[in-house]
Amino acid sequence: MLVSWNWLKQYVPLTVSVEEFERRLTLAGLNHEETTQQGSDFAIDLEVTSNRPDCLGHIGIAREAAVVFNTPLALIDPQPVESSVAVSELSKVTLNCPALCYRYTARVIRGVKIQSSPPWMLDRLATIGIAAINNIVDITNYVLLECGQPLHAFDFQRLDGREIFVREARQGEKFEAINHKSYELSPGMCVIADRTRPVALGGVMGGADTEVGNATTDVLIEAAEFDPLSIRTTARKLVLHSDSSYRFERGLDPNGLDWASRRCCELILELAGGQLAAGAIDVGRTPPAREPIILRLSQLRRILGIDIDVQEVLRILTALGNKIVRTMPTNEAVEAIPPSWRRDLTREIDLVEEVARIHGYDAIPEDVSVPMSISSRTDRDRVLGKVRESLVAAGIDEAMTISVVDEGLSKAFSPWTDAPPITASTPILRGADQLRRSLVPSLLQTRRVNEAIGNLRIELFEIARIYLPQASGLPDEPLMLAIASGGDYLATKGIVEVMVERLNAAATVEAFDFEHSLLTPGRASELRLGGKRLGFVGEVAACGQKLFELRSTTTIAELQLSMLEEIAELIPRSRELSPYPSVARDLNLVVDERIRWADLLDTVQSAAGSDLERVEYRDTYRDPQRLGAAKKSQLFSVILRKTGGTLTSAEADVVRDKVVAACAAAHGAALRV
Amino acid sequence: MSLANFITELDQIAAAGKSAFDRAADAAALEAARVEFLGAKSGKLKAAQKGLGAVSGPEKPAAGKRFNEVKAILEAALTAAGVRLATTTSESSESLDVTLPGRRPIIGHIHPITQTIEELKEIMGRLGFTVADGPEIEDEWHNFEALNIPASHPARDPLENFYLATASAGRNGPMLLRSQTSTVQIRVMERQPPPVRVISLGRVYRPDDADATHYPMFHQIEGLLVDRHVTMADLKSVLRLFAASFLGHDVHIRFRPSFFPFTEPSVEVDMAWETVGGKTRYVEMGGAGMVDPNVLRAVGYDPEEVSGFAFGLGVERVCARRHGIADIREFYKNDVRFLQQF
């Protein structure tokens, strides 16, 4: 809300500087945005929260200032001189939609002279950025900005039948507004019509055809009250927002209509002449009576933590326009009726806030002792901490990407569900409207962005939720970890293995063949822990690289964090360690190409017996000349150690021979010498 | 030979030998020194041993004791020299340019938003607040109704929210991406009776065009404390402790009246950041207030029995201010050069 400093001072005698005014009003709830000098005036921009439409006019701001600076308010009571002709003889208003328009009032002035507004009015309007049109239109704008009640002036002679019908719009009805744009109306919208057509969109904008112009002689002044929700819906639907709709949306003082109408007519008589018909047409509801509110003074201490003297409470409430009905004996409570312009005050807690903000929040101490209470880090956070630790140690940077993708990205990789993605009704960013079912596409996109900048080493991980639709109720939102790396399959799998080992030394990651159109056949797997799916790892295939416009080879992985939480041993138990030295035996077994390491390892582990500490894979070696076609040699070491004594060289040889024999029997392995 | 002369000779051998071992620049020099002092045939110590026979009988034990001590000193010095030479690089014959860069391990970086979240969580944890979690896709009950945002409220406008097109309307109305983390507070209070002391944080979504200070997705952290006798003074004090811990020095907290549907009274929270030339410069922290009685009622609490406060702040803003990040879109672009600064 832009406020003219000079205009404001017409209602409240302010002796403070502009800066002090801004500071004090900010601390009372009207947040100061900025001030610009306009000639001899200042335009002060104050932020009005949506619960305070009473401050969308200079008088409302003046009221607040009067309370804050404890000065009287100089309000006027306009009493325009009426002629002997009654308004009911000139016009008529029929209200057909009381749900959309609560109340409609009209006054008629005949014989006005259209010209420019006087300099004092033009100055004030210019200060707050309102364009001058002609004296009548300027006056309706002026009064709107004075008291916050929107008004409209119709060219009375152009109203067909000189009467007004307030009704719901018909489907497809056309209307040309004063901005000279045409709108197609629909039910739920409130139109002001004459006998044949809409002449205004109620509460939003007047019509072009009945606009006051140079030829106008007679005017009908509308001051009405519309339903806030329907005004908002109408303005949004038509993308037609005005100073009027802005105020009606927020709800206005139901008792403010008549003052605004009289004030408008008084100014018209003064600046444009004419004869005001006697009385006003007034249809619709009578403003509802306000219910009294009881404020228990004990609630001030209970909510604010401070005591406020009853005299101060009474002063504040009265200054804000509340009518004190009574003060309970021994001052334990106050009963007050809020003013009509404060529709936000309906409950005791609302009055607590009013008293607090005017009394000043600086009176509330900031050094009371809050009782202690236990809290501990959640298991999830502990697991995530360890996961991040491992990934960072592996040289991977954490990324954070938006939760939505476009259709192409969404389709590219969705290993967790075949159900179509959840879609937002409006795109969230650059056309992306599908809630992601995997983090992988987002990370690959991020990789491309980095390649385009010329970054060479791009190692990224992200921890975020994906969104899986459910048959009923809210979607499932499992937390995922995804990696996109420039390393190959084994490098990325190794990172996963180390991370799992850090969470649980005994857990083993098992890999199973996995085929996906995005990934290179034979270089991707599904990973499992204890038979349950942990996730996927695989190298992006050439077509995948093309899809994501990637220049360099990439490996992706995506894991369910719930699985990591399940296996995590957050408090590892110490094991007793053998004090005796270990003995290693290196092996080089030639097997068929089809024999898998995991199967060979199983055989080695069961054959080696209880003295086996671990098996360390070294390398795979292929040489058709020396080994034969479709053969490979597996190099690995078995590390042996006894708990009860030193393992001798002879004992180690026995174990090695057992291992070789078992592998020969199970996999046709031959020891390469 | 007198005992004194014998001991003097031993001490000289000990000093000279030790110094020779310590000075040896390589294995060959050390071997030469070993032969010179500890050589089994013609070493200096071997030669001195002959003098032991010349020491008179009663003084023999003392002389023998000293001889053994010196032998031990020299052997220890030899061993130490051997270790010293063994640990110098195999390239010791080549010269090393000590100003060459070291071989650096590559270490990843935690995203600055995560770092800020972890820090805020940690501070609130010290103040007894436990982390609570809730879904990002919410129903109207948790995102609006229970938070005292009635159907007629502007915040409900479809244009102000990301409603979901495909999600069928559930028991609690149509679904949308949550526009604030207060939804989690409702879920926590529905689950457990008071007292409650939690923080919730996570992604929230609002239809803003992306620019330097806006993004349609951002992170919010929100605290909630509900118990008997909770007041605004408690709120102010907790926020002061929180700000002081975060900034590392004491700060003052200022409340400005504001409006949120789920709190009454509602305030904007400022921190007195610094005083320049007698003028205090305030920095906005976030929004806060006393939990609205309607919210307490919505979750089955009795507003006459308990009261509470809630506060919330945007993580991106805090993080950007702290690190001097001018454009919050950087957080989601993930240029690795950007990430590697933190």
Side-chain angles (χ1 to χ4, degrees):
Chain A
M1 166 80 192
L2 275 174
V3 179
S4 150
W5 179 239
N6 293 341
W7 193 351
L8 192 70
K9 288 197 288 189
Q10 181 186 326
Y11 300 113
V12 61
L14 291 170
T15 53
V16 293
S17 67
V18 176
E19 290 78 16
E20 180 63 2
F21 168 82
E22 292 158 359
R23 192 183 70 83
R24 294 284 296 277
L25 260 73
T26 290
L27 292 180
L30 287 162
N31 202 25
H32 174 247
E33 302 270 9
E34 61 171 347
T35 296
T36 48
Q37 185 153 8
Q38 303 275 358
S40 62
D41 201 355
F42 292 98
I44 304 166
D45 193 358
L46 299 174
E47 187 191 350
V48 178
T49 49
S50 62
N51 59 323
R52 295 297 306 275
D54 62 291
C55 288
L56 293 173
H58 280 71
I59 290 174
I61 305 281
R63 272 198 205 106
E64 286 287 302
V67 178
V68 168
F69 294 105
N70 213 357
T71 56
L73 195 62
L75 289 183
I76 44 175
D77 183 23
Q79 296 295 351
V81 179
E82 297 178 344
S83 68
S84 55
V85 184
V87 70
S88 53
E89 292 171 34
L90 302 175
S91 186
K92 190 166 146 226
V93 174
T94 311
L95 175 58
N96 289 329
C97 55
L100 300 180
C101 175
Y102 300 157
R103 186 176 167 209
Y104 193 99
T105 71
R107 281 187 164 85
V108 174
I109 303 178
R110 294 184 296 170
V112 297
K113 185 165 182 291
I114 305 296
Q115 55 192 17
S116 297
S117 303
W120 63 266
M121 183 178 280
L122 292 176
D123 279 354
R124 286 182 179 184
L125 291 175
T127 295
I128 53 175
I130 304 289
I133 313 284
N134 58 48
N135 52 3
I136 304 289
V137 176
D138 293 351
I139 288 166
T140 57
N141 287 334
Y142 185 87
V143 176
L144 159 77
L145 290 155
E146 192 169 44
C147 66
Q149 167 70 44
L151 299 156
H152 186 65
F154 292 100
D155 185 328
F156 187 55
Q157 294 298 338
R158 297 195 60 84
L159 291 176
D160 188 0
R162 311 282 183 278
E163 64 175 319
I164 293 280
F165 295 88
V166 185
R167 59 168 173 81
E168 193 169 357
R170 302 183 186 109
Q171 185 63 47
E173 203 164 16
K174 295 273 192 301
F175 166 72
E176 191 191 341
I178 53 176
N179 62 5
H180 298 291
K181 286 185 188 161
S182 274
Y183 296 92
E184 190 169 304
L185 310 182
S186 55
M189 300 178 180
C190 178
V191 296
I192 314 300
D194 58 14
R195 278 187 191 167
T196 49
R197 62 198 170 145
V199 290
L201 189 55
V204 182
M205 202 169 270
D209 202 43
T210 53
E211 184 180 10
V212 171
N214 290 335
T216 304
T217 55
D218 304 347
V219 292
L220 179 141
I221 303 298
E222 164 201 298
E225 187 190 7
F226 297 95
D227 169 58
L229 188 53
S230 71
I231 295 292
R232 196 172 71 239
T233 313
T234 301
R236 290 270 196 291
K237 220 179 213 169
L238 301 176
V239 197
L240 178 60
H241 300 274
S242 65
D243 282 336
S244 296
S245 67
Y246 186 84
R247 284 163 177 78
F248 281 125
E249 275 178 30
R250 284 160 175 73
L252 291 172
D253 178 1
N255 291 0
L257 276 70
D258 196 53
W259 188 96
S261 178
R262 284 184 284 122
R263 173 72 170 145
C264 180
C265 293
E266 180 186 57
L267 285 169
I268 290 175
L269 295 181
E270 186 186 326
L271 303 178
Q275 299 285 313
L276 170 65
I281 300 171
D282 187 344
V283 293
R285 73 171 188 185
T286 42
R290 295 300 301 262
E291 293 296 315
I293 304 170
I294 292 174
L295 169 62
R296 293 163 294 169
L297 295 180
S298 60
Q299 290 299 296
L300 295 171
R301 165 153 283 283
R302 184 173 167 256
I303 299 297
L304 306 174
I306 53 171
D307 289 313
I308 300 176
D309 180 74
V310 65
Q311 292 311 316
E312 169 78 343
V313 172
L314 291 170
R315 179 192 77 81
I316 291 168
L317 291 179
T318 309
L320 286 167
N322 296 279
K323 194 162 154 276
I324 305 296
V325 181
R326 60 194 169 125
T327 308
M328 310 276 174
T330 67
N331 290 335
E332 62 196 29
V334 171
E335 189 175 356
I337 297 175
S340 63
W341 59 84
R342 290 300 304 274
R343 294 163 57 144
D344 57 315
L345 305 183
T346 58
R347 308 169 300 164
E348 180 179 50
I349 195 72
D350 301 330
L351 294 189
V352 169
E353 177 171 48
E354 288 302 290
V355 170
R357 75 181 177 91
I358 299 300
H359 181 69
Y361 285 124
D362 54 357
I364 293 176
E366 59 179 6
D367 56 359
V368 301
S369 50
V370 181
M372 283 221 245
S373 128
I374 300 173
S375 77
S376 39
R377 203 167 174 217
T378 60
D379 283 357
R380 164 164 282 189
D381 276 347
R382 284 176 221 230
V383 170
L384 287 176
K386 286 198 165 192
V387 164
R388 284 197 173 96
E389 222 169 67
S390 299
L391 293 165
V392 165
I396 313 183
D397 294 322
E398 184 181 20
M400 213 172 253
T401 59
I402 194 159
S403 324
V404 284
V405 287
D406 61 30
E407 194 178 4
L409 288 182
S410 183
K411 279 199 174 120
F413 193 68
S414 173
W416 304 100
T417 180
D418 293 329
I422 298 159
T423 307
S425 45
T426 48
I428 289 162
L429 186 73
R430 289 193 295 270
D433 61 353
Q434 310 210 333
L435 286 161
R436 58 186 174 182
R437 297 171 296 171
S438 162
L439 308 182
V440 166
S442 311
L443 279 189
L444 290 177
Q445 207 181 12
T446 305
R447 203 173 157 77
R448 177 182 61 213
V449 167
N450 273 283
E451 279 186 355
I453 303 168
N455 295 330
L456 297 174
R457 192 177 175 281
I458 311 158
E459 299 291 308
L460 296 170
F461 77 90
E462 179 170 17
I463 296 170
R465 300 176 186 197
I466 60 169
Y467 310 88
L468 308 176
Q470 300 299 298
S472 67
L474 292 174
D476 195 17
E477 299 181 13
L479 196 60
M480 291 285 163
L481 159 68
I483 300 172
S485 162
D488 64 3
Y489 170 87
L490 286 178
T492 310
K493 181 172 181 248
I495 290 165
V496 174
E497 286 167 351
V498 166
M499 185 178 72
V500 168
E501 197 173 69
R502 287 272 299 178
L503 291 168
N504 184 331
T508 313
V509 178
E510 295 176 291
F512 297 84
D513 290 328
F514 175 65
E515 284 191 14
H516 192 285
S517 58
L518 183 78
L519 306 173
T520 309
R523 302 186 73 80
S525 68
E526 177 180 313
L527 303 178
R528 294 180 199 160
L529 284 173
K532 291 191 197 160
R533 184 160 75 178
L534 166 66
F536 309 90
V537 58
E539 293 177 13
V540 176
C543 65
Q545 283 197 43
K546 212 170 129 185
L547 178 68
F548 284 92
E549 296 167 42
L550 292 170
R551 287 179 225 144
S552 53
T553 52
T554 304
T555 304
I556 58 98
E558 185 163 36
L559 314 174
Q560 310 192 63
L561 263 153
S562 60
M563 279 302 300
L564 297 176
E565 289 177 69
E566 209 172 294
I567 60 129
E569 203 182 14
L570 288 170
I571 304 166
R573 302 288 301 169
S574 162
R575 291 177 303 118
E576 202 180 334
L577 300 172
S578 163
Y580 302 101
S582 66
V583 180
R585 283 291 177 268
D586 297 340
L587 286 126
N588 185 347
L589 295 180
V590 179
V591 291
D592 285 353
E593 188 64 68
R594 62 179 173 81
I595 303 294
R596 294 203 155 196
W597 168 253
D599 301 325
L600 198 63
L601 179 65
D602 269 351
T603 309
V604 172
Q605 284 172 330
S606 51
S610 60
D611 293 338
L612 178 72
E613 187 164 272
R614 64 186 187 278
V615 178
E616 284 186 0
Y617 168 84
R618 299 270 175 237
D619 206 353
T620 299
Y621 172 73
R622 292 177 177 84
D623 185 342
Q625 265 79 43
R626 289 188 180 168
L627 303 178
K631 291 276 189 190
K632 62 186 174 188
S633 84
Q634 300 284 41
L635 283 67
F636 59 96
S637 305
V638 288
I639 317 293
L640 307 165
R641 197 195 300 261
K642 274 206 307 201
T643 50
T646 302
L647 188 91
T648 64
S649 190
E651 287 172 318
D653 291 342
V654 169
V655 173
R656 183 195 55 201
D657 296 342
K658 266 194 202 163
V659 166
V660 173
C663 290
H667 308 292
L671 187 64
R672 190 154 182 260
V673 209
Chain B
M1 179 183 264
S2 73
L3 175 65
N5 286 350
F6 179 68
I7 287 183
T8 305
E9 190 187 351
L10 281 179
D11 288 351
Q12 279 167 351
I13 292 170
K18 194 169 178 306
S19 144
F21 294 158
D22 288 349
R23 273 201 323 268
D26 54 33
L30 185 63
E31 177 58 15
R34 187 192 67 78
V35 171
E36 185 186 346
F37 291 96
L38 288 169
K41 289 196 176 69
S42 56
K44 283 184 171 156
L45 195 64
K46 186 77 192 167
Q49 197 178 357
K50 296 190 179 86
L52 188 59
V55 177
S56 61
E59 290 175 326
K60 240 188 186 55
K65 182 168 173 282
R66 185 61 193 156
F67 177 84
N68 287 335
E69 281 169 1
V70 168
K71 189 167 183 245
I73 286 170
L74 284 174
E75 281 171 346
L78 175 67
T79 308
V83 169
R84 173 173 61 82
L85 290 173
T87 53
T88 52
T89 60
S90 52
E91 300 163 10
S92 59
S93 51
E94 299 169 24
S95 66
L96 168 70
D97 176 356
V98 296
T99 66
L100 286 174
R103 277 185 292 275
R104 303 170 173 208
I106 293 176
I107 300 173
H109 302 76
I110 305 274
H111 196 283
I113 291 291
T114 304
Q115 291 190 37
T116 305
I117 285 175
E118 290 303 312
E119 192 171 357
L120 298 175
K121 269 198 229 179
E122 198 257 344
I123 294 171
M124 291 314 294
R126 291 178 187 202
L127 297 173
F129 288 74
T130 304
V131 172
D133 212 357
E136 289 174 28
I137 294 174
E138 268 294 4
D139 51 40
E140 289 191 302
W141 166 257
H142 289 94
N143 201 67
F144 298 129
E145 301 280 347
L147 288 166
N148 197 34
I149 306 172
S152 61
H153 195 279
R156 295 286 287 265
D157 197 289
L159 295 170
E160 302 291 326
N161 296 286
F162 288 121
Y163 277 91
L164 301 180
T166 46
S168 56
R171 188 170 48 87
N172 289 323
M175 297 186 219
L176 71 159
L177 286 165
R178 69 182 174 193
S179 52
Q180 66 248 335
T181 43
S182 316
T183 52
V184 182
Q185 301 178 7
I186 299 297
R187 289 185 176 273
V188 170
M189 290 193 281
E190 282 174 337
R191 263 202 314 262
Q192 66 171 86
V196 170
R197 204 190 283 218
V198 291
I199 50 162
S200 51
L201 45 95
R203 297 179 177 212
V204 297
Y205 303 84
R206 290 181 193 170
D208 284 321
D209 289 334
D211 62 26
T213 55
H214 298 86
Y215 204 71
M217 174 187 91
F218 59 99
H219 291 74
Q220 244 186 9
I221 176 167
E222 209 153 308
L224 170 77
L225 194 157
V226 181
D227 202 346
R228 291 173 195 274
H229 320 300
V230 177
T231 71
M232 240 170 147
D234 295 326
L235 168 64
K236 212 176 190 183
S237 303
V238 164
L239 287 171
R240 187 177 64 89
L241 294 173
F242 171 75
S245 176
F246 186 67
L247 296 173
H249 58 81
D250 203 3
V251 288
H252 288 292
I253 295 293
R254 181 176 81 170
F255 283 169
R256 279 179 292 116
S258 187
F259 171 68
F260 308 107
F262 29 89
T263 49
E264 187 89 359
S266 300
V267 291
E268 296 285 349
V269 182
D270 296 338
M271 292 184 275
W273 191 269
E274 57 186 1
T275 307
V276 182
K279 273 198 87 163
T280 310
R281 200 168 72 86
Y282 286 98
V283 169
E284 205 174 300
M285 261 173 83
M290 299 302 288
V291 181
D292 194 288
N294 290 351
V295 174
L296 295 173
R297 268 188 223 103
V299 297
Y301 286 14
D302 179 356
E304 290 291 311
E305 277 292 306
V306 294
S307 53
F309 66 69
F311 64 89
L313 48 97
V315 176
E316 276 77 355
R317 264 174 48 188
V318 172
C319 182
R321 187 186 304 131
R322 187 154 233 211
H323 297 289
I325 297 161
D327 189 332
I328 71 162
R329 284 170 296 192
E330 286 287 350
F331 289 131
Y332 301 108
K333 186 179 168 190
N334 302 296
D335 179 340
V336 292
R337 294 170 308 153
F338 171 79
L339 298 175
Q340 285 162 5
Q341 298 176 99
F342 307 102

